[in-house]
Amino acid sequence: MGARITLARGDITTQDVDAVVNAANSGLLGGGGVDGAIHRAGGPAILAACRELRATTLPDGLPTGQAVATTGGNLPAAHVIHTVGPVHAKREDRSELLASAYRESLRVADEIGARTVAFPAVSAGIYGWPMDDAARIAVGTVAATPTDVEEARFVLFGDEAYDAFRRAVDALD
Ligand code: AR6
C-alpha cells in the first residue's frame, strides 16, 4: 500500500508529524533553505547526531539519493530523515536519483516506525530542479512506493510550489 498523499502550505519545521524529511547535502552538517530552517528550529541535537554519523557510519557523507534518520531535537517531529537530492543538470537526466531520495526516505521512515511524514520539494530550491518536474517525480514516486507510512504530507513554501504539487496530485487520478 502507498501512503495517502496530502498537501500543505507553509513551514515544514512546525508540522506535527512523526518525521520531517530534510533536503540536505552529502556533508550532512547543515546548509541553507529547508536544511538551515530545520537545524535552526530543531536545535543543536540534530547537528550533533549528524556529526556522530559522519564520525561513524558515514565518514564520506550521505550519497545522493540516499536517506538517514536522526533525532528531531526540539521539532514537534521526533525524527528528521535527511536525504540528498541531485543538483539539477540540463545535460544529464538525474530523475532516478530524485525518485530514489523519496523512496529511500520512505524506507527509512518504515525502519523507524514513522506513520506520518512531511516532505519538502527536494532539489527544487538551491539545487535548481524545475518545480513542475520536481513535483511530478515527488508525487509519482511516493504514490508508487509500498510503505507502512499512512500520510505523506508535502509541505510547500509558496503558491508556485503548492500549485505544482496540486497539479501533480490531480494528474494521478
Ligand atoms: N519549509 C518548507 N519548505 C521550505 C522551507 C521550509 N521551512 N524552506 C525552504 N523550503 P532547498 P534543495 C523550500 O533549497 O533544492 C541546502 O543548502 C524551498 O522553497 O531547501 O534540495 C542544503 O544543505 C524549495 O521549494 O533544497 C543543500 O546544500 C524546497 O524547500 C541544498 O540546499 C527545497 O529547497 C539542497 O537544495
Side-chain angles (χ1 to χ4, degrees):
M1 258 296 276
R4 181 167 57 90
I5 293 175
T6 61
L7 304 183
R9 285 176 214 265
D11 182 356
I12 202 167
T13 66
T14 64
Q15 299 294 310
D16 190 8
V17 286
D18 296 330
V20 165
V21 174
N22 181 20
N25 58 65
S26 290
L28 285 180
L29 301 179
V34 74
D35 193 7
I38 285 172
H39 280 280
R40 270 194 305 280
I46 299 175
L47 185 58
C50 288
R51 286 194 197 284
E52 179 65 20
L53 287 169
R54 289 299 309 273
T56 55
T57 51
L58 295 170
D60 299 324
L62 183 67
T64 304
Q66 297 194 21
V68 69
T70 67
T71 176
N74 301 326
L75 296 177
H79 311 275
V80 173
I81 299 172
H82 306 263
T83 192
V84 183
V87 176
H88 185 258
K90 283 209 174 71
R91 287 176 191 78
E92 190 188 348
D93 182 5
R94 298 181 177 164
S95 305
E96 187 46 41
L97 283 169
L98 185 53
S100 172
Y102 286 99
R103 272 197 302 272
E104 289 297 304
S105 295
L106 287 169
R107 192 181 59 72
V108 169
D110 283 341
E111 264 174 27
I112 61 181
R115 294 290 179 265
T116 53
V117 180
F119 289 89
V122 178
S123 289
I126 293 165
Y127 281 179
W129 210 287
M131 189 56 81
D132 276 306
D133 202 45
R136 186 183 58 76
I137 293 166
V139 168
T141 302
V142 170
T145 302
T147 175
D148 293 329
V149 171
E150 288 159 9
E151 180 188 2
R153 186 185 305 169
F154 289 101
V155 182
L156 293 324
F157 236 26
D159 287 341
E160 191 215 345
Y162 186 87
D163 293 348
F165 274 75
R166 179 84 268 155
R167 285 191 292 274
V169 169
D170 291 346
L172 281 180
D173 345 292

